[in-house]
Amino acid sequence: MIKNHSCIYCGTENDLSESDIIPDALTNARITNRNVCRIEHNNKFSDLFEGEVIESLALISNELDVKSSKGKNYAKYESTVRIAGVDYDVSMSSELELFSGRVLKSADKKHLMSSFEQVSKIEKDPSKVKAIDINNIVVEKKVKINLEIYFKVAIFRLAAKIAFEWYCAKNNVSGYHDDFSNIISFITTGAGNNPVSIIQSEELYRFIGNQANLGSHCLFAFQDSQSRISVVVYLFGIVMYRVIVSDNIPEFCTNNLLYQELCTDSSRKEIIKSSLEDVERTYIECITNKGNFSPIKLPNGITCMVPMQNQSIDILLYIFIGNAVSYFKGINAETTTPNETIIAILLKNITQIMDASLLHKKSIKRFVKEHFKDGHEPIRLNPNSSNKKETFMFYILMVIGKSNIKTINDCTLQQLAKETFSRYPKDEFIISNELEKKLKNELLNTPEYPSLLEQGAYVIKQWDNYPLV
Ligand SMILES: [Zn+2]
């Protein structure tokens, strides 16, 4: 007999909907739970806590090129921009908006800045209008990093919701169950025992951070040392929440060792197993099966066995998950309030995102779309200003332009980047001040760089149309 579907929060069978486990505005890789009723336990959560978190994390989602599939634009965030010595407070989603003709009022309300046309309409006396050449001025952007949000009930409720709906989805849970009564009451009302805490072990952040891709969300479910179901929700590679989903293993749930990574380029990785022992057994079987390895002779005469490319499981991922979960079970460093340790961890992770450029189809297409509009002026780089991501992207476009390739795909893009930045093993590039200077000098010292950039941009524009409208 097929069991009827019903809401995991209240048990109703009426008007069920597909809930985005992680709000759509916070991920490019959607995961859903179908057993959630539409109004009370899906739509209402937006107003109760999701909206506040989405708004507060706008800067991060914007930096990572993550946006809602429903919305047209990337999220706006507040910043102060200093242009030719004057501060302007603006809410923006891209720096290019500053010069797109919108009127900016300075923080001291004494200056207006816009296109010459716009300003002339507002200020009739031409002697009061001063022209600035945006290609040669220094634009400084200051953004406030809001750390408060990471300690608010809103984000705890969101972490609990993600953990609960994800664990239920992977176990095909349907209907209300008492095993989850505490977490349900916390998600729906904010009351009850708070099942959420923030992990504050620097070492653990380093360990997971080395494995996961920059800006990914990672989820881990396991049976903890007190036999409870714990889910770790690692948001954007910034903060890890540990959520107690249930005080015992529900008898109707068989998948109690789960892992999922959701990447900003919308790819994902997943492991579904019954227990940690099950994971360990799987990779030990794989390691001890000689058929999974092929011998390679090293120059010094030693033969080394390396895993075959076409294995059915990603053995390194299994080993990583085995180690990560053992680590989670053993640590006891958690908090719910700010302190020096956790603040240092958060700032380090956020800075890393701000200083990194993610190079994949979506990010480079977005860059080209914003910077190479039809009929735009030739690109002239401003030697005085600093924008690490912009410099990096322009540099990659010049490399593409120089390479004379006519079409591009993920593979050729990564190949070109790797040849250029051969020191970097991953698809993400942390740009130091020094590296930025080097890249910019190289661009400026290439006389034909404006036309190379156009060629590079043209190749990217031809890349089959990603839904980026
Ligand atoms: Zn419901």
Side-chain angles (χ1 to χ4, degrees):
M1 199 180 88
I2 298 168
K3 206 165 67 174
N4 283 342
H5 288 281
S6 61
C7 177
I8 53 174
Y9 290 95
C10 65
T12 182
E13 292 177 13
N14 300 326
D15 200 18
L16 294 184
S17 60
E18 203 171 59
S19 162
D20 279 301
I21 295 176
I22 297 178
D24 178 51
L26 296 180
T27 181
N28 288 333
R30 205 170 163 234
I31 45 171
T32 58
N33 187 320
R34 290 162 172 275
N35 294 333
V36 176
C37 68
R38 185 180 310 279
I39 308 289
E40 203 61 30
H41 299 122
N42 190 347
N43 296 355
K44 278 196 180 172
F45 290 167
S46 304
D47 292 338
L48 287 174
F49 53 85
E50 290 178 344
E52 183 183 348
V53 177
I54 291 169
E55 200 175 301
S56 301
L57 296 183
L59 173 66
I60 303 294
S61 56
N62 195 307
E63 285 289 320
L64 292 168
D65 303 298
V66 168
K67 79 173 178 67
S68 162
S69 56
K70 292 168 204 141
K72 215 173 161 189
N73 298 312
Y74 288 86
K76 285 188 184 298
Y77 54 89
E78 302 297 323
S79 76
T80 302
V81 192
R82 174 166 282 201
I83 303 166
V86 180
D87 283 346
Y88 300 87
D89 291 331
V90 280
S91 165
M92 62 182 182
S93 69
S94 155
E95 275 141 63
L96 290 180
E97 286 174 15
L98 296 175
F99 304 114
S100 63
R102 73 189 262 209
V103 181
L104 304 180
K105 195 180 250 176
S106 66
D108 64 7
K109 311 238 177 344
K110 286 183 185 153
H111 299 79
L112 287 182
M113 195 198 71
S114 186
S115 64
F116 196 73
E117 245 175 21
Q118 280 282 357
V119 172
S120 305
K121 264 190 229 159
I122 302 166
E123 177 54 65
K124 300 282 187 250
D125 178 357
S127 70
K128 289 191 178 160
V129 178
K130 192 173 138 216
I132 47 176
D133 177 359
I134 58 171
N135 290 309
N136 279 310
I137 51 160
V138 180
V139 177
E140 259 180 81
K141 181 175 81 167
K142 276 183 263 173
V143 283
K144 262 199 211 118
I145 307 271
N146 170 4
L147 291 184
E148 258 168 70
I149 185 66
Y150 299 99
F151 304 92
K152 285 195 166 172
V153 177
I155 206 165
F156 290 174
R157 286 171 80 179
L158 177 63
K161 177 211 127 133
I162 294 171
F164 174 55
E165 291 188 8
W166 179 65
Y167 178 76
C168 287
K170 298 297 164 196
N171 279 289
N172 294 316
V173 174
S174 170
Y176 171 88
H177 295 274
D178 274 337
D179 307 66
F180 305 120
S181 60
N182 183 61
I183 195 166
I184 289 175
S185 122
F186 183 72
I187 298 168
T188 53
T189 66
N193 289 334
N194 175 7
V196 185
S197 56
I198 306 172
I199 295 179
Q200 54 171 356
S201 153
E202 233 173 282
E203 218 182 322
L204 190 51
Y205 278 89
R206 210 173 311 123
F207 176 68
I208 310 279
N210 281 338
Q211 287 294 322
N213 290 293
L214 190 83
S216 288
H217 299 302
C218 293
L219 305 172
F220 306 78
F222 55 93
Q223 185 184 357
D224 69 19
S225 51
Q226 295 171 57
S227 293
R228 302 171 301 188
I229 295 295
S230 267
V231 170
V232 171
V233 178
Y234 194 7
L235 285 181
F236 289 126
I238 293 176
V239 59
M240 278 187 231
Y241 293 102
R242 181 202 189 105
V243 183
I244 310 298
V245 171
S246 162
D247 282 334
N248 55 288
I249 294 190
E251 58 177 19
F252 44 89
C253 294
T254 49
N255 300 321
N256 293 306
L257 193 293
L258 304 165
Y259 170 71
Q260 195 153 40
E261 177 180 359
L262 305 163
C263 306
T264 56
D265 67 356
S266 74
S267 64
R268 53 192 83 204
K269 291 176 187 164
E270 183 169 68
I271 288 179
I272 300 181
K273 288 279 167 189
S274 62
S275 64
L276 178 58
E277 294 69 40
D278 194 10
V279 164
E280 287 167 348
R281 204 177 311 124
T282 309
Y283 73 68
I284 287 168
E285 267 167 26
C286 181
I287 294 174
T288 47
N289 181 351
K290 283 216 175 82
N292 285 330
F293 293 83
S294 59
I296 298 251
K297 254 211 155 54
L298 298 176
N300 59 7
I302 293 172
T303 303
C304 165
M305 301 297 280
V306 297
M308 308 262 276
Q309 290 286 330
N310 54 353
Q311 276 182 42
S312 55
I313 67 159
D314 179 346
I315 182 158
L316 294 177
L317 183 66
Y318 272 70
I319 294 175
F320 162 63
I321 297 310
N323 287 331
V325 169
S326 307
Y327 219 144
F328 284 133
K329 286 174 101 158
I331 61 143
N332 209 354
E334 285 156 55
T335 181
T336 51
T337 50
N339 62 53
E340 238 172 72
T341 310
I342 187 64
I343 294 290
I345 292 172
L346 295 178
L347 281 178
K348 183 167 168 255
N349 293 339
I350 292 170
T351 312
Q352 187 155 21
I353 288 176
M354 306 294 289
D355 283 352
S357 274
L358 289 159
L359 189 63
H360 52 72
K361 189 175 180 179
K362 195 164 183 168
S363 58
I364 199 162
K365 284 206 75 139
R366 175 188 178 187
F367 183 80
V368 166
K369 193 181 172 205
E370 289 181 351
H371 289 75
F372 295 83
K373 294 209 166 86
D374 290 344
H376 71 95
E377 300 272 314
I379 303 283
R380 275 202 292 144
L381 297 180
N382 180 348
N384 305 315
S385 75
S386 159
N387 183 325
K388 292 174 179 162
K389 286 194 178 180
E390 201 175 274
T391 306
F392 173 79
M393 286 294 190
F394 278 132
Y395 191 86
I396 286 289
L397 288 178
M398 181 169 83
V399 171
I400 296 171
K402 263 189 189 164
S403 73
N404 263 325
I405 51 168
K406 298 283 171 269
T407 55
I408 196 155
N409 57 36
D410 287 309
C411 200
T412 38
L413 177 63
Q414 296 305 335
Q415 198 57 38
L416 276 176
K418 270 181 191 144
E419 281 164 19
T420 313
F421 302 97
S422 49
R423 287 175 292 142
Y424 299 84
K426 279 192 173 181
D427 307 340
E428 60 209 36
F429 305 90
I430 309 291
I431 324 260
S432 61
N433 292 333
E434 201 186 325
L435 180 60
E436 190 202 2
K437 217 180 257 170
K438 212 181 120 210
L439 298 182
K440 189 168 241 171
N441 281 339
E442 215 178 298
L443 275 158
L444 293 169
N445 291 329
T446 308
E448 71 281 23
Y449 85 83
S451 67
L452 290 174
L453 291 182
E454 295 301 326
Q455 279 178 43
Y458 179 77
V459 173
I460 297 295
K461 279 184 183 173
Q462 300 310 304
W463 198 345
D464 63 270
N465 284 326
Y466 196 86
L468 222 177
V469 277

